[in-house]
Every structure is written in structure tokens, then in C-alpha cells.
Amino acid sequence: MFDPVIAPSGTLLGLLQRGRGDGTLHALTAPRAEALAALNHCVLRDPRHDWQVENRSLYYARLYLDLNGELDAIEAHLFDPEDVLDADESRTGLALAVLGHLASYGRLDALELLRRYAAHGSNWAWALDELALRDDDAALRALAAPVLARFATDAEGEAELAVAVRDAFEPRPWRLWAEDPRESVAARVRAAQEAGCFDRWQRQMTPGGPRPGWSVRAVFEWAQQGVERGAALHVPAARCLVAVAGPEDRPEILQAAKDGTEGARCTALRYLAESNDPDALDLIETAVHDGTAPVVEAAVGAFERMRSIRAVDRARGWAHRPDALGAAAGRMLACRGGAHDSDLVLGALREAVRGEGPDAPTLWTLVDGAGRLGIGCAAPVLRHVYRETASSHLRGRAARALAATDPSFATGFAVECLWDCEETTRELAARHAETGDARVVERLRRLAADPAEEAEVQTAVRSRIGPDGAGRMNAG
């Protein structure tokens, strides 16, 4: 899947793509046709950089409800001929998840679309999972025949069926089908369930990798074999060293960290850093200077995991370096530094935004650090990250940092965050948003009554509701 093209943050489409609360607020005041066009664009062209962890489906489903939006565009997308040619679940996953939420809110047209797609669409397993949470037993039983018809009755087809049953996210439909009164259905599903269980047991009984009694050299060789076949094994290999290495093996490990093969060097650096070896920091600095890209990455990663006072002191000296180790030093100070490190963390934050933009991976740690250290001067940079990042998770972190650094947060971004796509951001807003704003009071009441809202958010909302239970809000 190609990286999505994100519209500017000041546009309605850009706000909705980012999942910002202002996206919903702007959509509700925009011409309905314009708002629905932008909403459909987002749902049919998933805007998330990491669609497996970022939330958008409930956010978009709620907006469909508020706009009384039709589902014609989603239907056309699901049943487009491209569905046969492109079976990647990322093409239809967001649309199916939105339909699932709409079905939960009582939209029968969404429920019918899910049923049709489960019977005929390429990403049928996702649709079936959505239905497993929301549909009744009779409707799910009716899907048994079209779903099982996807699998041939020869050995290969039965093996594919066993994998589908084994990997199903929601087992409810398969359990219903295993008890189906039609023996042709029940027997196939029960056989597939048994085959899946046997396959799982077999894999557990034949693990790969190191065995008890391996030597340090054998662990290094295993790590290098991983490099040669394109698999980074230095992290599990370092854990193996903990089990097999003794004090007499330290010279060999130090030598590997200096000039061993790529797999051995990455493994040794990780092991020495995690065991807080006195030579680890010097070896990490050397590896960053003369190592290959994977070695540099492993060295930097090993350094960031260190917890010692010596490592933090070294980070203060490395923070001004214009390389990966300097960036890692800034992140370490953000996580483990003290108040006197605020200037270094702020400098690293500004440099990351200036050099890499508002979506730089390093910002996640630096933004958290600015909030942890309460760096008031960081608020303008944090507001920029909040507005511009395409990552709803990073925006949530920026909001949390602003709550700790920006006195205007409660009357500003916190209000918008009540409509955010991420539940953790809505929870933060529910605890901080100033209730002098009438929109806040109404939104908190709606979240409290919404059965689809996360429990943590509703707990935060209840903490703001007065003891009379009539909706009076405690001062924010």
C-alpha cells in the first residue's frame, strides 16, 4: 500500500484525514455535500500511515451518523471490480470497520452491506469478524454456505480452511457453524478446527533457534545466519547470550563488538549494553563511527535501552552530535534526564521538527520528554506538531505534553480533543477541557451516553459529572 497523500491541515479534508476533533466540528458547519465528499474520501482511501494501530473507524462512523450520510460510496467501493484484483485488506478494512460501528448504532443498511460483502467480497474474513460482534445467530448461520464455498473440498482447500478457522479474530461464527444441523457444514468446520489445533501444537513442539548447551560462538553464528537470509536476530541472540555466556566469555564478546561479523557485532553490542558492561558505551560510540547501517542502528538501539547514570551522563555529552547517536542522546535525556537537561531536550525537539518535519519518528519520545519535564518554552513547537502531524498517536502525545506545559490547553486544544479519533486523547480532554464552553458540557454528556465509547473515556467523563447525576459539570 502506498503512503497516503495528506491534505494541508487547514482544510476540511486534511483535518478529517488526521482524525482531529476540529475535522468533525468543521464538517458539521460545512455544506453537507462537501462534508460527505471529504468523509467518503477518507473512508475509501485510508489516510493512516499505520492503519493497524491508528484509530479512525469510530470517528468516521460518528460523523456519518451526524451527517445522516448515505452509504452508496462505500457500497460502490466494496463491490468494485478492483476488489477481485486487489485483495489486500488495507483497501477495504477501514470501510468495513466503519460499517461495523454503524451497525452497532442501529444502521441496518450497514449491517446488510457487511452481510453481502462477507458472502461475496475478497476481504470477507474482516467483514465476518465485524458481524461476529454484532449480528444475530440466524444471520451468521446463513453465511456458512457462501463462506465454506470459497474453499475447495480437496486436500489443499481443506488445509486453507483450517488456516482460516485457526486465524479467525472472532471465533463465534465458526463455533456456530461447528454445531450447524447440516452435517455437511458442521463436519467440515469441526475437521478444520481440529486440524488448526493440531497445527498449532505441532509448531509449538518443533521450535527453531538456539538450544541449551550452545556456545557463545554458536549464538553469534546463528545471528549471522539471520543476517544472510534477511532476518535481524540480534535481539533474541542477545537474550541467548545471557543464558550461555559466563565471565570467561567476556573477551570473545568484546572482540565481537569491535570487529565481528554484522550479526555477531549487533548481538554483542546489545548484550553488553543490557548487562551494563563498563566498555559498552565506548564500543557503541566506535560502532556508530565505523559500523554498517544495521550495526549503527543496533548500537543506537542498545544505547537507548541503557538505564545507568553513566549512560545518561554520556548522553549529555553526545546530545550535540549531528548523527544518529546525538539524536538517541536527546531521546535518552527526554526519558531519563532531569530538569537541568530541559534545554538539551528542547533543542533536540526543535531540531527534529526543523530537520525532519512533524512526523519524524524521534518526536514521539521527545514530545513525551517535553511534557515529562514540563518545558514551558516547548509549547509553541508542541502546538505545531499537534496541528501538522498526520499521526493521531503523535498528536495525542503532543496533547498530553501541552496539558503539562501550556496554560491555554484547557480552553484551547482540549476542547477540540473531545472529538478526536483516539480514545486516549478523548480521555485526556475529558479530564482537562474547560466546562465554561457550552460545547464541552454537551459533548461530555453525549460521550457518557454513547454505548460505543471506551470505558476509560466514560470514567473520565463521570469524574466531571456532579453527584446529582443530572449532568451538572464540575468546574474544569
Side-chain angles (χ1 to χ4, degrees):
M1 182 178 178
F2 294 104
D3 283 340
V5 176
I6 304 298
S9 62
T11 64
L12 174 58
L13 178 58
L15 290 169
L16 291 177
Q17 286 177 316
R18 289 168 172 80
R20 279 182 56 181
D22 261 4
T24 294
L25 297 175
H26 279 63
L28 295 177
T29 59
R32 181 173 178 274
E34 177 186 341
L36 281 174
L39 176 58
N40 285 328
H41 185 284
C42 294
V43 173
L44 307 186
R45 301 170 185 83
D46 195 334
R48 296 170 292 181
H49 283 283
D50 192 343
W51 64 274
Q52 293 180 309
V53 298
E54 291 190 46
N55 295 312
R56 291 290 190 282
S57 56
L58 179 59
Y59 172 84
Y60 292 142
R62 283 171 167 169
L63 189 50
Y64 272 112
L65 291 175
D66 290 338
L67 296 172
N68 194 25
E70 303 84 2
L71 303 181
D72 296 353
I74 293 181
E75 180 178 11
H77 178 71
L78 292 179
F79 295 100
D80 189 277
E82 186 181 359
D83 190 59
V84 178
L85 303 174
D86 182 4
D88 191 324
E89 61 182 10
S90 63
R91 192 189 81 83
T92 54
L94 178 57
L96 294 171
V98 169
L99 291 177
H101 285 299
L102 288 173
S104 293
Y105 283 117
R107 287 281 297 258
L108 296 180
D109 52 348
L111 192 63
E112 287 297 332
L113 268 180
L114 282 172
R115 290 169 178 167
R116 281 178 53 205
Y117 191 81
H120 305 290
S122 293
N123 194 10
W124 61 272
W126 191 313
L128 188 61
D129 284 338
E130 296 291 341
L131 290 168
L133 296 172
R134 300 168 174 95
D135 216 346
D136 57 50
D137 288 356
L140 287 175
R141 288 194 181 98
L143 288 171
V147 169
L148 292 179
R150 295 174 179 277
F151 303 93
T153 55
D154 58 14
E156 183 178 354
E158 298 298 350
E160 291 174 353
L161 176 59
V163 171
V165 175
R166 185 195 68 201
D167 295 343
F169 193 73
E170 294 292 341
R172 180 178 163 227
W174 302 101
R175 290 173 179 167
L176 284 173
W177 300 343
E179 301 169 355
D180 197 283
R182 294 165 292 182
E183 186 58 27
S184 59
V185 171
R188 269 194 97 184
V189 174
R190 285 197 298 267
Q193 289 174 327
E194 292 171 3
C197 291
F198 177 77
D199 178 62
R200 189 178 294 111
W201 171 81
Q202 194 171 43
R203 286 188 295 172
Q204 292 171 345
M205 293 298 292
T206 56
R211 301 287 192 278
W214 273 31
S215 65
V216 168
R217 175 165 302 190
V219 173
F220 285 151
E221 290 174 351
W222 179 65
Q224 183 59 25
Q225 290 168 9
V227 171
E228 292 167 359
R229 64 174 186 267
L233 298 177
H234 65 276
V235 174
R239 290 197 295 266
C240 292
L241 282 186
V242 173
V244 305
E248 69 280 3
D249 297 305
R250 183 171 179 268
E252 182 180 358
I253 297 173
L254 291 175
Q255 192 62 43
K258 292 175 184 175
D259 56 15
T261 63
E262 187 173 287
R265 196 172 187 187
C266 292
T267 300
L269 289 168
R270 179 86 171 202
Y271 168 81
L272 292 169
E274 294 197 344
S275 58
N276 200 26
D277 189 278
D279 288 335
L281 291 166
D282 290 336
L283 289 167
I284 286 170
E285 187 171 22
T286 300
V288 170
H289 174 70
D290 64 13
T292 62
V295 169
V296 171
E297 183 179 352
V300 169
F303 168 64
E304 287 195 69
R305 291 177 61 82
M306 297 182 74
R307 303 290 189 271
S308 66
I309 295 175
R310 290 178 62 248
V312 176
D313 286 340
R314 189 70 68 96
R316 296 184 178 110
W318 286 344
H320 297 290
R321 291 176 58 129
D323 60 7
L325 193 53
R331 293 191 294 270
M332 174 170 281
L333 294 177
C335 291
R336 300 178 187 90
H340 54 289
D341 297 310
S342 294
D343 288 344
L344 291 174
V345 174
L346 178 59
L349 176 64
R350 287 172 171 165
E351 182 59 32
V353 172
R354 183 166 48 244
E356 301 179 60
D359 290 310
T362 191
L363 286 175
W364 292 52
T365 304
L366 295 174
V367 163
D368 286 350
R372 183 181 73 86
L373 296 172
I375 306 175
C377 295
V381 185
L382 294 171
R383 287 194 288 266
H384 174 76
V385 172
Y386 177 96
R387 292 189 186 98
E388 299 299 328
T389 182
S391 166
S392 53
H393 280 187
L394 178 55
R395 181 176 64 253
R397 288 172 180 256
R400 189 172 295 106
L402 283 167
T405 60
D406 185 359
S408 69
F409 177 73
T411 56
F413 284 139
V415 176
E416 171 191 343
C417 287
L418 287 170
W419 285 265
D420 198 87
C421 66
E422 296 291 342
E423 65 267 18
T424 52
T425 306
R426 296 195 299 275
E427 179 186 355
L428 177 77
R431 298 188 185 282
H432 288 273
E434 174 57 62
T435 54
D437 188 325
R439 295 176 302 168
V440 172
V441 175
E442 179 57 33
R443 182 60 176 172
L444 289 174
R445 287 172 177 160
R446 183 169 177 179
L447 292 175
D450 191 336
E453 188 51 82
E454 297 291 334
E456 292 81 0
V457 178
Q458 293 192 324
T459 297
V461 169
R462 285 194 291 270
S463 73
R464 305 293 297 280
I465 297 177
D468 59 7
R472 180 175 61 83
M473 299 295 162
N474 294 326

